[in-house]
Structures are given as structure tokens and as C-alpha cells.
Amino acid sequence: MKKVILCLLGGVLANCQIFAQQTPATTSTSTTTATPAPAPPAEQKVTVYGFLRNDVYYNSRRNLDLRDGVLDVYPLDATNLPTRTGTTLTANPNDDANAVPQLGYSAIVTRLGVRMGGISAFGAKISGTLETDFFGITNGTGGSGSGTENLLRLRHAFVAMDWTKNQLMIGQYWNPNFIPKCFPGTANFSTGIPFNPFSFVPQVRLTHKLGKEMSLMGMIFGYDLAGFSPAGTFAVGSGVDAQKYSTTPAFAAQLGYENKKFLATVGFEGNTLTPKITDTKNTSTGVYGGTGTGNVQKNIGSSLFTLNLLAFAKLTTDKVTMKFHTTYGQSYTQYVGMGGFAEYRDATTGEWKYSAQNQLNMWGEFISTKSKKVQPAVFVGYLQNLGLSNAISSSSVRAGTLAFQGRGISTGTGRTFDNLLRIAPRIDFYSGKMKLALEYELSIMKWADIDGNVPNADGSLPTSISFKASTSSLGRAFDATNGRVAAVMVYNF
């Protein structure tokens, strides 16, 4: 199989080189007629680019991670929490199974891309990009090692059409919250995950220049959710299903300002999900979710709308580069982020109900650029679980149906994240086409029991649940801390 892949890649590269070296057809130079000679056809330019990358890392604690552990998302919760009986906590004598260090090596981030351009169509300059790497699209059992690591995945595949004041881009590219001109330069391939939204989505994007420094971008797009952690899947089978069955494209808009030193943008995005498409309904009572005689299958149109707000800024000078990025809203699971939504059956009608979880994400980065060869930098990220938009009354939930779909919150374990803090200083060394990066990443995830599961001081349970972390001493709060040391070598071509 490897030989076949190598042969195919070799053939593609060879054809690209041959195609790039083609010259325009010879045109007539006759002077016997006043009719000008036709212009030679535009020459298509093809450029092959990419890099070879090797990662070595050490973690002091187990994490939710992706693909050979190259991308760590957050430190895992303790497995030896105290036992709670009523309002009494009893110490657990077992060891914490997640308090185990790891050492890993990988080259799967290695990337290969092709850029095309130099031609015109529909009165516009045409360019395109096709990009892949060896990161794969699924995790192995236990998080790494037995999935699709080392296999190709599609990163970018788009065509851009540029007129004087407008650009139309169609294809797969970064999600609207990932900003190519303002993203974390961490040595860790996480690129700021889960604080910075990360994914590639099929889209139609139109950007209009309002002036020399202002622009307005609008787009419609669909989510590509299946390629990330299984913890992020939705109830129909995958996030892709939840997006497809809504039959409503997601949308986004951004207003931006940019000059040579400063970049700033504000924007929003909205998305409609349809987590379930079929159900049962009793023909006599009209109640959903029953079994047996009198119940028939019905197609349903349950849906949930989520909204995200975005703001970012970047300052670039001769001595420093500073970046800041924040998002506030819902539905970050598809961006390899935290949170998701709660679902349950109504206690009276049996119909499925949904409530989105709110979240604040922010990060900043400072890079010293005094030297072109040695550049120290630091990344700081923080996110906070703000709970459901509307707390769910326990009396409105049919017993046994409440569940949370997403990442970092589980009705099965009764645990949730409260916040995550990450501080990651690094030093980047540059020499020609080579880069060496050394980084220490400290991540602290605060875990606790979900608020509605923790008894009050009198032993009674709360009457509602918001999926926030409990602040009670009975909430068994735990700070999961991981120290990650990473060394990365990159050869760009």
C-alpha cells in the first residue's frame, strides 16, 4: 500500500513539474496585416510546497489527545474521586489511573500542498490550493496508535476568483472562526485548541473591499465533524448527520480592518442542527417515545440553533507581534472545542427538547521579533463553562432521558469541566528553511460534578440543572494538571 501511495505522489509531482514548465504556443509575427497578433494564452503556474516535521513530546499526565498524542486537548479527570453518600465524602484509596506520564514521537504532521494560478476566467484572476497531510481522520482505540494515523487527509481544496473589489472562494478551507492571519504559533500542533476554533469546512465565501483598509466577508458553509474525537459526536451518529439533516447551511459574517501593522475583526456565525430525525408516537395519546401496541414510527424535525460571536486583533511591529482572539457563544465541539448541548424528553409530551451550552474562549500570544533567528514567545489561553442558556427544570424531564452531547461534559459520569487555563512559553530557532521549537505547556483543567447532581446541605437535590460545575464542597472539584515538554523540527520546502 505504501508503494502505491508513493508512486501516486511521485506521479502527481512529476506531472505538476511538467505542467508548470509548459510555455505558451508560438504566435504569428507577420507584419503583412494590421490585425494585431492574438495574445498568448495565460500560463498556468503550479507550485509545490509543504514541510517535513518531527515532534517529540513528554506529558506528565494523560490527556484527551488526537493522533499519536501529537495534539493534546485537555488533561483528563481523576479516576479516584472520593465517594459521595448523601452529604458525606469518603476518601478513595485507589491510585489515579490518569496520573501517568507518556513520551511520544511522530512525523504525521508532515504536509504537502499544491498552489495553482496565473489564469483568468469570468473576468477574474483564478487561483487554487490543494493541501494534505498524514494526520488521518480518526483516532485509534484509547486515543492513538490504531486509527488512521499516517494516512492522508484533505485539508484545503478550494478555488478563489479575484476581481478588483471582490473575492469569491468556493471549496474546503478554514472555518470562519480560524483566522489565517491571526492564529497561535505554538510548537504544539494543537494551534491553540481548544481555545482557538480549529477545523476545515466546505464553504462559499464572498469578501468585499469596502475601502483601502476595510472589508466585509460573508459565507455559507457546512460542518466537517466526523474527522475529530469520538467524544464530539452527536446523537444521530455523527455531527455531519446533525448538520446534513437540518438542510440549513451555517452562515457567518465578519467586518475587518487591516493595515501594515494592525488587524482587527468582529463577526458572528449561526448554525442549525437536527440531532434526531425519527421517533415513535402513540396514535391514541399523541405521546412520543413509547413502545408496543399503538406506537408508530414518525419522522420528526427537531432542531437547535446556535450562535457564536467573534473578535480578534493583531499588532505587528519591528520588535514584537501581539495577538488576541476571543469567541463567545455555543457549539464549539465541531471546532475541536469544549461543550455542546443538552437533550431530553419532555415529561408530558415525550418530545425531544434541546438547550445549548454557553462558553467563553480567549487566548493571547506575545512574540519577540527583535531577532530573525531566535524568537521567544508565550501563549496564554483560558475558557469558561457558562452553562445552559436556560436551566432545565428537573420536573420537566422524563426520567432517564437527560443527556449531554459534546465534549468535556458527561451525564454518564456526572462530571463537567468548569474552566481550562493554559500557559505555554517557547523559543523558536530559525536558520534558512529550518525551524526548531522548544516549548513547555502547562494546562490546568478544573473538573467538578454537574450542578444538578450535587445535593444541597439538607440532602435534597436541586430542582434544576444548568450543566455548570458545582461550587459546593460536595462537588468533588479536581484540578487536572499536565506539564507538556515538546521539541519540534521543521524543514520547509
Side-chain angles (χ1 to χ4, degrees):
M1 185 62 184
K2 291 182 178 179
K3 291 183 178 180
V4 173
I5 294 175
L6 290 174
C7 289
L8 289 174
L9 285 175
V12 170
L13 292 175
N15 288 331
C16 288
Q17 294 296 330
I18 292 172
F19 195 41
Q21 294 170 7
Q22 288 180 345
T23 57
T26 303
T27 58
S28 173
T29 58
S30 172
T31 59
T32 60
T33 176
T35 303
E43 178 183 9
Q44 175 140 300
K45 299 177 182 178
V46 178
T47 303
V48 177
Y49 70 93
F51 55 74
L52 306 177
R53 170 168 167 153
N54 284 269
D55 291 70
V56 180
Y57 64 87
Y58 170 87
N59 288 321
S60 64
R61 182 178 183 81
R62 294 178 66 185
N63 297 268
L64 174 67
D65 56 31
L66 306 177
R67 318 294 192 282
D68 286 349
V70 172
L71 195 165
D72 65 308
V73 183
Y74 57 77
L76 293 176
D77 196 9
T79 64
N80 62 341
L81 295 169
T83 302
R84 186 179 61 233
T85 304
T87 57
T88 301
L89 294 178
T90 304
N92 189 326
N94 296 310
D95 286 340
D96 179 1
N98 289 328
V100 179
Q102 309 100 40
L103 178 64
Y105 309 82
S106 183
I108 64 174
V109 181
T110 295
R111 186 177 303 170
L112 179 64
V114 179
R115 293 192 183 97
M116 296 145 279
I119 64 171
S120 299
F122 303 105
K125 294 181 179 179
I126 307 300
S127 60
T129 297
L130 175 63
E131 186 175 284
T132 185
D133 62 19
F134 297 85
F135 201 66
I137 60 172
T138 59
N139 257 16
T141 303
S144 63
S146 59
T148 59
E149 297 92 345
N150 300 304
L151 297 183
L152 292 173
R153 67 163 175 174
L154 182 66
R155 286 174 55 88
H156 300 314
F158 64 86
V159 173
M161 306 174 67
D162 285 275
W163 293 272
T164 304
K165 291 188 176 182
N166 297 293
Q167 182 193 71
L168 177 64
M169 186 176 68
I170 302 175
Q172 180 160 301
Y173 190 55
W174 291 112
N175 75 72
N177 289 328
F178 185 98
I179 311 303
K181 293 184 179 180
C182 183
F183 67 90
T186 58
N188 188 343
F189 184 60
S190 67
T191 321
I193 292 171
F195 313 95
N196 189 56
F198 187 105
S199 71
F200 318 106
V201 294
Q203 60 191 265
V204 177
R205 178 184 302 212
L206 177 64
T207 304
H208 175 68
K209 295 180 181 178
L210 298 174
K212 185 178 180 181
E213 298 176 337
M214 297 288 294
S215 65
L216 178 65
M217 183 277 288
M219 62 182 287
I220 56 175
F221 61 100
Y223 285 137
D224 179 16
L225 310 187
F228 298 114
S229 168
T233 58
F234 292 103
V236 174
S238 76
V240 173
D241 288 333
Q243 171 66 30
K244 285 192 306 184
Y245 288 117
S246 73
T247 67
T248 303
F251 60 88
Q254 294 177 5
L255 178 65
Y257 173 87
E258 180 179 7
N259 59 31
K260 292 182 179 180
K261 292 187 176 182
F262 185 69
L263 168 68
T265 292
V266 293
F268 66 89
E269 66 154 314
N271 180 40
T272 302
L273 300 175
T274 299
K276 295 186 183 298
I277 58 175
T278 62
D279 201 357
T280 58
K281 183 179 182 180
N282 189 283
T283 54
S284 298
T285 64
V287 175
Y288 286 86
T291 60
T293 304
N295 287 283
V296 297
Q297 181 171 303
K298 290 289 185 179
N299 295 335
I300 61 174
S302 62
S303 64
L304 171 70
F305 178 76
T306 62
L307 180 67
N308 295 325
L309 305 178
L310 163 76
F312 67 88
K314 178 182 178 182
L315 175 66
T316 304
T317 70
D318 294 337
K319 296 182 179 180
V320 299
T321 297
M322 293 184 289
K323 309 171 189 175
F324 175 77
H325 185 289
T326 182
T327 53
Y328 172 84
Q330 306 147 343
S331 188
Y332 293 109
T333 307
Q334 69 273 6
Y335 294 148
V336 202
M338 308 296 294
F341 63 87
E343 65 176 2
Y344 63 95
R345 286 191 184 276
D346 183 89
T348 303
T349 66
E351 294 179 280
W352 284 107
K353 303 290 184 179
Y354 302 94
S355 182
Q357 172 253 358
N358 294 310
Q359 189 172 300
L360 173 67
N361 305 301
M362 63 177 65
W363 62 264
E365 186 176 53
F366 178 90
I367 308 171
S368 174
T369 55
K370 293 180 181 180
S371 169
K372 301 301 181 184
K373 294 185 177 181
V374 181
Q375 296 185 353
V378 60
F379 167 87
V380 179
Y382 179 81
L383 60 83
Q384 178 70 52
N385 174 13
L386 301 176
L388 301 180
S389 300
N390 297 296
I392 300 172
S393 172
S394 301
S395 61
S396 65
V397 179
R398 179 184 292 183
T401 63
L402 179 63
F404 193 91
Q405 304 294 340
R407 185 179 290 111
I409 303 177
S410 171
T411 42
T413 64
R415 300 284 284 176
T416 179
F417 74 95
D418 179 52
N419 61 71
L420 173 61
L421 171 66
R422 178 171 296 165
I423 302 173
R426 71 178 188 275
I427 301 180
D428 296 327
F429 301 90
Y430 297 92
S431 179
K433 293 183 177 295
M434 295 289 292
K435 174 185 175 180
L436 175 64
L438 302 176
E439 181 177 72
Y440 176 74
E441 177 188 280
L442 177 66
S443 298
I444 305 173
M445 172 82 98
K446 182 177 181 180
W447 294 92
D449 289 332
I450 296 171
D451 57 356
N453 296 333
V454 180
N456 300 314
D458 61 2
S460 63
L461 287 175
T463 58
S464 65
I465 182 171
S466 68
F467 283 94
K468 289 183 180 179
S470 171
T471 57
S472 166
S473 59
L474 296 174
R476 301 184 297 177
F478 176 76
D479 290 333
T481 302
N482 177 51
R484 181 182 177 98
V485 180
V488 178
M489 183 193 72
V490 182
Y491 167 58
N492 296 286
F493 62 87

